[in-house]
Amino acid sequence: MAPTLFDEKPEIGDLIEIFRGTYQHWAVYIGDGHVIHVAPSNEQAGGGAYSMMSMLSDRAFIKKTELWDVVGTNQYRINNLLDDKYEPRPAHVIQREAQRQEGQEVPFSVFQGNCEHFATELRYGKAESRQVHHAVEVGVGVGVATMIGVGVLAAAAAIFGSGRKEKKREN
């Protein structure tokens, strides 16, 4: 039988990426079947449409939760996405820092202080969010493409529009 996503067992300090449809929720495995993660106070275990609304919150709590309670019916994977860029902190440091922060209320921002920022800072000591980087790149790409499209349309209108005026003058 081929291995599935759920066959891989996390180790202390592993980043857990949970697929919630339109976004990913991030947590850090801290042992004994538990993760630590940051979630707005109205975040529902297991995600869902209600969790998407929690993105509008500006405050969140650092929570220690059983992995399966956070995953719910969603798929997840271990994704230590920045291991090629940064050295992971030692497992005992991650555990100690997770215990120190558990239960704290913190500012929450989708763009500057989300669950992925929290997880990467705990693992690497650097807060980064690839989701935000990707969203910005897509947004900039769409903006540039729109500007180019408008520019091309304006140029075409100028070229072809002036031709019509010249034809009218000839008649």
Side-chain angles (χ1 to χ4, degrees), residues 34-102:
H34 288 89
V35 295
I36 193 154
H37 60 118
V38 66
S41 58
N42 56 356
E43 172 89 10
Q44 295 292 308
Y50 189 74
S51 290
M52 199 57 189
M53 292 304 293
S54 70
M55 296 303 205
L56 302 175
S57 180
D58 66 348
R59 304 294 297 167
F61 288 93
I62 298 172
K63 301 176 180 182
K64 176 182 174 184
T65 312
E66 286 192 28
L67 173 63
W68 294 113
D69 286 343
V70 177
V71 170
T73 59
N74 302 121
Q75 290 191 348
Y76 81 96
R77 69 176 175 164
I78 296 168
N79 185 1
N80 298 318
L81 69 164
L82 299 174
D83 278 8
D84 59 340
K85 187 174 180 181
Y86 303 118
E87 181 75 24
R89 297 160 76 187
H92 73 279
V93 171
I94 293 170
Q95 277 184 316
R96 183 181 65 228
E97 188 63 21
Q99 289 171 344
R100 186 184 71 72
Q101 293 185 46
E102 182 185 348

Side-chain angles (χ1 to χ4, degrees), residues 1-9 68 75-78:
M1 179 192 295
T4 67
L5 242 41
F6 304 111
D7 290 336
E8 192 175 1
K9 303 294 179 221
W68 294 113
Q75 290 191 348
Y76 81 96
R77 69 176 175 164
I78 296 168

Side-chain angles (χ1 to χ4, degrees), residues 23-35:
Y23 73 101
Q24 287 79 37
H25 183 65
W26 291 83
V28 179
Y29 188 76
I30 56 171
D32 296 325
H34 288 89
V35 295

Side-chain angles (χ1 to χ4, degrees), residues 100-168:
R100 186 184 71 72
Q101 293 185 46
E102 182 185 348
Q104 290 183 17
E105 184 178 18
V106 295
F108 182 84
S109 165
V110 171
F111 296 106
Q112 297 175 342
N114 66 36
C115 56
E116 187 178 0
H117 288 107
F118 170 78
T120 57
E121 185 168 19
L122 195 56
R123 181 171 175 84
Y124 305 107
K126 308 280 184 188
E128 288 192 22
S129 175
R130 294 270 171 104
Q131 286 182 103
V132 170
H133 288 282
H134 179 70
V136 167
E137 288 171 0
V138 168
V140 168
V142 167
V144 169
T146 301
M147 288 172 37
I148 290 170
V150 168
V152 168
L153 287 174
I159 292 168
F160 295 115
S162 65
R164 280 192 218 140
K165 288 179 185 174
E166 287 175 16
K167 285 182 182 177
K168 285 182 182 178

